[in-house]
Amino acid sequence: MVRTALICLGLCLIPLPVQAGEFYVDPVNGSSAGDGSASRPWRTIQEVFDAGLVESQQWDKYPYTPQSQLVARNAGAPVHAGDTLRLRSGYHGDLLIDRYYNAAPITLAAEDGHTPRLASVHIRSGSHWIIRGLTVSAEFSPAYERHTLIRLESHNWRGPVHDIVVEQCALWSVADAAAWTARDWDRLSCNGLQVDGTRMTIRDNRLRNVNFGISVGATHSLIRGNLVENFAGDGLRGLGHYTTFEYNTVQNCYKVNANHDDGFQSWSTGPAGVGSGEVAGIVLRGNTIINYVDPNQPYRGALQGIGCFDGTFVDWVIENNVIITDHWHGITLLGARNCLVINNTVVDRNDTRPGPPWIRVGNHKKGMPPTNCVVR
């Protein structure tokens, strides 16, 4: 009996995990006076942040420096690390999450069966957020304005951004761009995702009718399973070290301005500007890049597949990609060291010039030859 009592006392002293909370946001039936429950939801997600209803952390002083310390923000607020905010159908406006560093992820997700609509999502200087299943478009705004639909931003004064997940979201400038002229494409198409930071995950999103698709300056990140369909700039950009782009599909390039369009593009920067630095550790695996699907597509242009012209590119792996285009540059690295280009397929989309596409690892634009590279 004594032994049993001691065991029970020991179990009582073990802290039990706090159950994650769920809160609801409903722009149609909600109220700013609600409590966030399923029966009394809040109204819009921006109002939740404006009212200080999210407990998190922020830096103790600004401008941010590596010596800055995290301190409590909105202590005692109902929403805190580990919780989920479920968004219901309706228009939530523009969302800015500014300087919220969570101790564990907080999730903003569409409630099952609902389609929450936003004009933009901007996370500036924060960490540990999951954005899931939202629909983001400039055409939802009362007045259409060209902008970046989802932006994950590190800020020199406010601090870095890291450990963010954006998944299963739908982004478009307009849902139907069939009536757009070349001038409309050039002036109205929004950029899809702009990603700074570290340890970012962009997964299973669908982007349509955009300018630049997914532009990534982040390091140590994952860009996986996304669709970029109908774009006027570059489909994907990778400028940060040690980031993996895998199993993405990029298709249907619209040539409407002087940009030399790429399915994927990278370049280095350094003390002497573009081409004077290095981009290290990029993996491009299992991606599909198609110049155009419909031969009658308007404003078709000659799309460069994987175009990397301003090295040096170091320790890259480019494997199992399929490039279907009508340009010479199927896969091109100019200035490379210790790179593997293996098991890729490049296919000419038609029998006219430019093309047919090649796979090429060549000299840096300043003449330095590639070293220790394999093309197989």
Side-chain angles (χ1 to χ4, degrees):
M1 292 294 291
V2 174
R3 180 177 297 173
T4 301
L6 290 174
I7 292 173
C8 291
L9 177 61
L11 290 174
C12 291
L13 294 176
I14 297 174
L16 297 176
V18 178
Q19 185 174 2
E22 293 200 352
F23 299 89
Y24 296 83
V25 187
D26 187 336
V28 177
N29 300 304
S31 168
S32 58
D35 59 11
S37 64
S39 59
R40 296 185 61 216
W42 293 311
R43 185 164 52 195
T44 71
I45 187 61
Q46 188 62 59
E47 287 182 354
V48 171
F49 285 94
D50 292 345
L53 298 175
V54 178
E55 180 183 85
S56 187
Q57 301 172 102
Q58 63 183 358
W59 300 114
D60 58 346
K61 58 185 178 181
Y62 297 93
Y64 163 83
T65 69
Q67 289 72 44
S68 298
Q69 301 293 317
L70 288 170
V71 296
R73 179 174 186 180
N74 302 330
V79 182
H80 49 73
D83 289 350
T84 297
L85 287 152
R86 299 203 178 278
L87 279 58
R88 292 176 174 170
S89 295
Y91 179 53
H92 291 260
D94 294 282
L95 173 61
L96 172 62
I97 302 174
D98 187 15
R99 292 173 288 171
Y100 280 82
Y101 291 87
N102 303 319
I106 295 177
T107 300
L108 276 60
E111 186 177 1
D112 289 346
H114 286 255
T115 308
R117 295 178 288 114
L118 296 96
S120 66
V121 175
H122 185 181
I123 300 178
R124 182 170 58 199
S125 305
S127 70
H128 296 101
W129 290 98
I130 298 173
I131 309 297
R132 179 184 300 134
L134 307 185
T135 301
V136 186
S137 172
E139 69 178 350
F140 297 149
S141 299
Y144 187 96
E145 182 179 348
R146 186 185 198 187
H147 57 261
T148 297
L149 299 175
I150 297 181
R151 185 177 183 188
L152 311 176
E153 180 190 8
S154 290
H155 192 276
N156 288 337
W157 192 83
R158 291 174 169 87
V161 66
H162 60 89
D163 295 286
I164 309 290
V165 176
V166 178
E167 60 186 3
Q168 301 170 22
C169 293
L171 295 78
W172 60 75
S173 303
V174 294
D176 185 357
W180 270 7
T181 64
R183 182 181 175 85
D184 291 334
W185 269 103
D186 187 33
R187 295 198 166 198
L188 297 179
S189 58
C190 296
N191 295 331
L193 272 149
Q194 176 71 46
V195 185
D196 298 339
T198 306
R199 297 183 301 276
M200 314 296 273
T201 299
I202 310 299
R203 180 169 52 209
D204 297 334
N205 302 285
R206 304 180 312 282
L207 291 77
R208 187 168 74 250
N209 302 332
V210 293
N211 184 31
F212 292 93
I214 304 175
S215 299
V216 183
T219 66
H220 301 88
S221 296
L222 175 65
I223 317 300
R224 190 181 200 276
N226 303 282
L227 170 65
V228 179
E229 183 175 39
N230 306 340
F231 62 99
D234 298 331
L236 303 172
R237 282 181 165 181
L239 307 180
H241 304 308
Y242 304 107
T243 289
T244 295
F245 294 78
E246 62 181 12
Y247 311 118
N248 303 285
T249 298
V250 175
Q251 62 187 31
N252 303 340
C253 174
Y254 283 68
K255 182 64 176 177
V256 295
N257 52 39
N259 184 69
H260 61 82
D261 304 319
D262 299 85
F264 174 91
Q265 184 177 189
S266 181
W267 65 87
S268 72
T269 58
V274 172
S276 64
E278 296 182 349
V279 181
I282 293 284
V283 175
L284 294 166
R285 177 186 298 118
N287 302 287
T288 301
I289 297 172
I290 306 175
N291 194 155
Y292 57 89
V293 172
D294 180 2
N296 297 314
Q297 174 192 308
Y299 317 121
R300 286 199 307 148
L303 177 70
Q304 298 170 157
I306 296 175
C308 304
F309 306 111
D310 292 286
T312 300
F313 307 105
V314 181
D315 298 329
W316 282 42
V317 177
I318 303 176
E319 62 181 3
N320 299 325
N321 302 282
V322 176
I323 314 295
I324 305 173
T325 190
D326 60 352
H327 201 284
W328 294 293
H329 295 291
I331 300 173
T332 297
L333 300 181
L334 300 185
R337 186 170 75 249
N338 302 333
C339 292
L340 304 178
V341 184
I342 300 173
N343 294 340
N344 300 283
T345 302
V346 295
V347 180
D348 199 356
R349 188 63 180 86
N350 54 45
D351 58 1
T352 62
R353 286 179 173 263
W358 58 47
I359 297 175
R360 179 186 176 197
V361 178
N363 291 350
H364 189 283
K365 65 180 184 180
K366 293 187 177 180
M368 298 86 77
T371 57
N372 297 324
C373 293
V374 173
V375 179
R376 183 173 70 226

